[in-house]
Amino acid sequence: MELDDIRAFDAWYEKAGVRAAARRTVDEDDTDILKEFFPRRLVPHLGHPLVAEREQPLQRYLSAQHLYQWLNFTSHFEVAVVCRATQRIAENRCGLEVSNTARMNAFKIMVDEGYHSLYSLDVVDQLEKRSGIGALPYDFGPFIRNLDAIGHGYPQHRRLVQLLQVVVFETLITSILVDIPKDPDVITVVRDTVSDHAIDEGRHHAYFSAFFRYLWGQLDPGERRLVARFLPDVIVRSLHPATAPAHAALRQAGFSEDRARLIVAESYHRDAVLRSIRFASAKTVALFEDCGVLDIPGAREGFVEAGLLEEPRT
């Protein structure tokens, strides 16, 4: 699909969440707030034996903190990472010649993402007040510093790396956006908010899939080799779970330092994390393969080494 041929934005003024959806608010029904903050199967440390044996209020507290962490991450990421690079496209500063249509669609994405940031924080605020469970402090700094460390040795390519960050994240398919809206056991405002987000992200997925095809077609052989080398690291750093918030929540819930470290280490062990990353990035990796990225010498081996592809059978 060409960058100017994305029909998903044709009805943006009528259908985008920021234009058409009502503000999502906590249900007045007292039974709804007693539902799950987040599906248990998507919170690894809730399944750890040391947590599972504890009383339900403690587990509920940890589930709430996991939701708050995800919403706070979303709020920061959309502005600090997605809008940062998308603004380059919208303002024709991305290093590529893009049409007015592509630029206006980029501005629409920025509006979407700003709204996603707003309602993520809005839901945190509402749930804190309704549930009585306050959110622990959240620090986005470690994530953005780790993500931006990619390509530090190539400062002349910083703009390119930022574009790759957005392409990767906006073409991922995560269990959160897919599963939560369909889970009747999750608090309604959470389900509705994630559903709204997923609908908007469908447009963004189409845009950045087309944008990568256009970007790849404009790169010279040296730049293609560089991109092929960067991409596995961008994917892994984008999807690797942040365990510091889980550790902080466990400590706040009363676990000792040693037990909190043990729970995190065993809940987020390397094999399970890589399986999750490989699942979420499957469509993104397929996009890169279709574009010819994995045909670059050494590229396929890099994706295999990062755990994004299975070892080829001999």
Side-chain angles (χ1 to χ4, degrees):
M1 179 184 294
E2 297 294 330
L3 190 54
D4 287 353
D5 295 336
I6 302 171
R7 302 272 69 89
F9 288 92
D10 287 354
W12 182 87
Y13 288 99
E14 293 75 36
K15 294 185 177 180
V18 69
R19 301 280 302 176
R23 179 192 179 207
R24 300 299 187 179
T25 56
V26 176
D27 199 309
E28 294 292 332
D29 184 354
D30 287 340
T31 61
D32 190 74
I33 194 62
L34 299 178
K35 293 182 178 180
E36 298 282 353
F37 283 89
F38 215 82
R40 292 181 61 87
R41 65 188 178 280
L42 299 181
V43 187
H45 51 284
L46 284 185
H48 192 280
L50 291 176
V51 175
E53 71 182 12
R54 301 294 291 271
E55 62 276 10
Q56 199 274 339
L58 180 144
Q59 297 179 37
R60 181 169 173 78
Y61 173 83
L62 294 175
S63 178
Q65 295 304 330
H66 191 83
L67 172 66
Y68 295 156
Q69 178 269 328
W70 181 74
L71 289 170
N72 274 302
F73 170 84
T74 298
S75 181
H76 285 81
F77 186 88
E78 303 289 40
V79 173
V81 178
V82 180
C83 286
R84 176 177 65 179
T86 306
Q87 185 176 1
R88 291 186 180 276
I89 303 171
E91 295 178 349
N92 211 18
R93 296 185 295 107
C94 66
L96 305 171
E97 286 298 323
V98 293
S99 68
N100 283 340
T101 297
R103 292 176 59 199
M104 286 190 288
N105 286 340
F107 273 118
K108 292 172 184 175
I109 291 173
M110 290 178 63
V111 174
D112 287 342
E113 302 296 30
Y115 186 48
H116 297 167
S117 292
L118 169 62
Y119 65 50
S120 294
L121 289 182
D122 184 27
V123 170
V124 171
D125 183 64
Q126 290 185 57
L127 287 175
E128 283 186 293
K129 293 172 180 175
R130 188 75 170 83
S131 69
I133 301 175
L136 293 176
Y138 177 74
D139 183 6
F140 186 69
F143 176 88
I144 190 69
R145 288 192 293 271
N146 182 55
L147 188 64
D148 283 348
I150 301 169
H152 269 185
Y154 304 86
Q156 70 274 28
H157 294 292
R158 184 175 62 177
R159 175 176 56 193
L160 178 58
V161 172
Q162 290 178 359
L163 292 173
L164 295 176
Q165 292 169 353
V166 175
V167 166
V168 164
F169 214 88
E170 294 294 291
T171 57
L172 298 170
I173 303 296
T174 68
S175 297
I176 294 174
L177 294 186
V178 174
D179 291 352
I180 289 182
K182 299 182 293 186
D183 191 334
D185 294 328
V186 173
I187 294 171
T188 301
V189 71
V190 177
R191 295 176 58 204
D192 289 344
T193 301
V194 175
S195 178
D196 290 345
H197 194 160
I199 292 169
D200 283 344
E201 289 301 327
R203 284 190 297 274
H204 303 178
H205 181 104
Y207 183 91
F208 282 104
S209 295
F211 179 81
F212 181 78
R213 293 181 186 277
Y214 180 65
L215 170 65
W216 184 253
Q218 304 300 308
L219 299 178
D220 64 39
E223 290 170 328
R224 288 189 174 193
R225 288 192 296 271
L226 196 64
V227 167
R229 186 162 73 246
F230 283 155
L231 283 174
D233 202 15
V234 176
I235 293 172
V236 171
R237 293 192 193 212
S238 295
L239 282 170
H240 201 281
T243 56
H247 177 270
L250 288 163
R251 293 288 286 124
Q252 189 67 27
F255 288 94
S256 69
E257 176 66 21
D258 288 344
R259 288 211 161 187
R261 287 182 180 274
L262 176 67
I263 292 167
V264 168
E266 293 182 348
S267 301
Y268 297 88
H269 58 85
R270 183 176 183 276
D271 289 345
V273 167
L274 283 180
R275 281 196 302 272
S276 176
I277 291 174
R278 190 159 52 241
F279 169 80
S281 65
K283 288 188 180 297
T284 301
V285 173
L287 167 67
F288 297 154
E289 184 162 27
D290 189 53
C291 290
V293 174
L294 300 186
D295 295 332
I296 300 295
R300 186 174 296 274
E301 291 81 358
F303 276 76
V304 170
E305 184 178 352
L308 302 173
L309 289 172
E310 300 285 354
E311 291 274 2
R313 294 181 180 179
T314 56

